[in-house]
Amino acid sequence: MIRLLLVEDDPALVRTLVIVLEAHGYAVRAVTDGRSALSAVREQQPDLVVLDLGLPDLDGLDLVETVRPWYRAPILVLSARDAETTKVHALRAGADDYVTKPFGVEELLARIEALLRRSDPASDTVRSGDLAVDLAAHRVERDGDEVHLTPTEWRMLEVLVRARGALVSQQALLQTVWGPQYARETNYLRVYLAQLRHKLEDDPARPRHLLTEPGAGYRFR
């Protein structure tokens, strides 16, 4: 069953959309704030996110920018903000479609169907040199031998692997792995990246897979 994450703080609209979407065969999880949405995207990797921009704790645009480097499934923005600049910002930040409230349910369903048809889920296993990272099984092998990672090490590696080749900013990594309140704790990144390099790199001092771009972020290659 296709899993949808609905991020919306209007209880009446949530009730309506959950009824409609479930009636059309989707498994729907609804959350009402940005922090819960971040956790749900990270932990459950839904097949599509329907996102309101006006959340009580985070702006939806910031949420799109945070998750897009490592979350590949479609994001459909559903918002009362109808300014062209906001739509352009959302799409350039990584949203795949933008529907303005008030909207027609049939149009929303059609747009969801179109996005799902075009989506291209990432392969479960990402291989790079001597590493094989199975994202579905939460398993990493080096030269064919399984490497044990702590839950935090795995979450950090998973974010970087899902964004393979792309720069993941320090802030995005901190917010995704530890939560929005840890956005300035850059020392966490140094500690856990050192642990990951020790486990996954032939020469942790000269890494081939887990690269640092000073002052900017990290990249998996």
Side-chain angles (χ1 to χ4, degrees), residues 169-188:
S169 71
Q170 294 178 339
Q171 185 179 39
L173 198 52
L174 285 164
Q175 288 185 341
T176 303
V177 177
W178 284 274
Q181 67 271 34
Y182 293 92
R184 297 180 183 274
E185 304 290 347
T186 54
N187 58 309
Y188 286 20

Side-chain angles (χ1 to χ4, degrees), residues 180-219:
Q181 67 271 34
Y182 293 92
R184 297 180 183 274
E185 304 290 347
T186 54
N187 58 309
Y188 286 20
L189 299 177
R190 288 192 291 273
V191 170
Y192 280 91
L193 194 69
Q195 294 175 187
L196 280 173
R197 284 173 173 158
H198 180 74
K199 293 182 178 182
L200 303 179
E201 299 280 3
D202 290 336
D203 182 356
R206 303 174 64 182
R208 293 191 301 135
H209 303 294
L210 298 162
L211 309 180
T212 299
E213 297 202 10
Y218 304 94
R219 192 187 306 272

Side-chain angles (χ1 to χ4, degrees), residues 44-121:
Q44 300 181 351
Q45 294 288 320
D47 299 303
L48 183 143
V49 174
V50 178
L51 172 67
D52 181 26
L53 296 183
L55 301 174
D57 56 344
L58 290 176
D59 189 278
L61 293 173
D62 292 335
L63 183 62
V64 173
E65 291 176 340
T66 297
V67 306
R68 184 42 90 200
W70 48 268
Y71 175 66
R72 297 190 179 188
I75 299 174
L76 188 156
V77 171
L78 188 62
S79 176
R81 303 178 191 173
D82 60 359
E84 181 181 0
T85 53
T86 303
K87 297 177 183 177
V88 170
H89 186 173
L91 293 168
R92 286 180 172 165
D96 298 277
D97 200 357
Y98 195 113
V99 176
T100 304
K101 300 176 183 176
F103 59 93
V105 169
E106 290 301 323
E107 178 187 354
L108 178 65
L109 289 168
R111 288 178 182 270
I112 289 174
E113 292 165 6
L115 289 173
L116 290 171
R117 280 198 303 271
R118 294 198 299 269
S119 66
D120 181 19

